Amino acid sequence: AREDSAVTTITTEGNFVTQITTMEVEPGRQSELLSIMTERARFMAGQPGFMSISLHRSLDGTKIVNYVQWTTRELLEEAHRAPEFREKWPQVSELADAAVPCLYEVVHTETK
């Protein structure tokens, strides 16, 4: 599937972990941070347990939301410890005013 047409499935079925990270960024630097986040997403896509990553940008240019689905919490944490993932963290920290990751469980969805 093409990257720009892929759809992440959000469902209560299955036993997987969801991490949602919200980031605040200075106006005018959102695209720069998204470029780094996209590069990191491509690395993560090759890691064991990967299911999906979706990056979202706010229309006001000040926030990014990273929606990640992984088969297990342990494999997600292992991927986060990879040196290739960590090497870009200083750049992310420089661009993001705040980054707040949190793990979630999907408990309800509605679709049409």
Side-chain angles (χ1 to χ4, degrees):
R2 284 187 17 224
E3 178 180 324
D4 61 353
S5 66
V7 176
T8 297
T9 301
I10 301 174
T11 178
T12 57
E13 303 296 318
N15 187 21
F16 56 89
V17 65
T18 299
Q19 178 178 305
I20 301 173
T21 303
T22 55
M23 305 178 103
E24 293 185 22
V25 62
E26 292 178 31
R29 300 200 80 184
Q30 186 186 56
S31 292
E32 186 178 357
L33 181 54
L34 273 170
S35 177
I36 293 167
M37 298 295 294
T38 299
E39 183 180 329
R40 291 174 64 182
R42 289 186 179 122
F43 166 76
M44 294 299 265
Q47 300 307 297
F50 171 83
M51 292 175 65
S52 72
I53 292 177
S54 300
L55 295 171
H56 309 260
R57 65 175 167 214
S58 66
L59 298 180
D60 67 2
T62 65
K63 293 179 184 60
I64 295 172
V65 173
N66 184 10
Y67 185 95
V68 178
Q69 293 177 323
W70 224 265
T71 56
T72 69
R73 180 179 185 164
E74 294 75 23
L75 287 174
L76 174 60
E77 290 171 352
E78 185 176 312
H80 280 149
R81 288 191 296 269
E84 299 89 345
F85 179 80
R86 307 293 300 163
E87 74 183 17
K88 293 287 185 182
W89 195 250
Q91 290 175 290
V92 171
S93 296
E94 178 186 316
L95 292 170
D97 295 328
V100 182
C102 192
L103 297 179
Y104 294 87
E105 174 185 9
V106 179
V107 294
H108 182 79
T109 60
E110 297 276 340
T111 60
K112 185 170 184 175

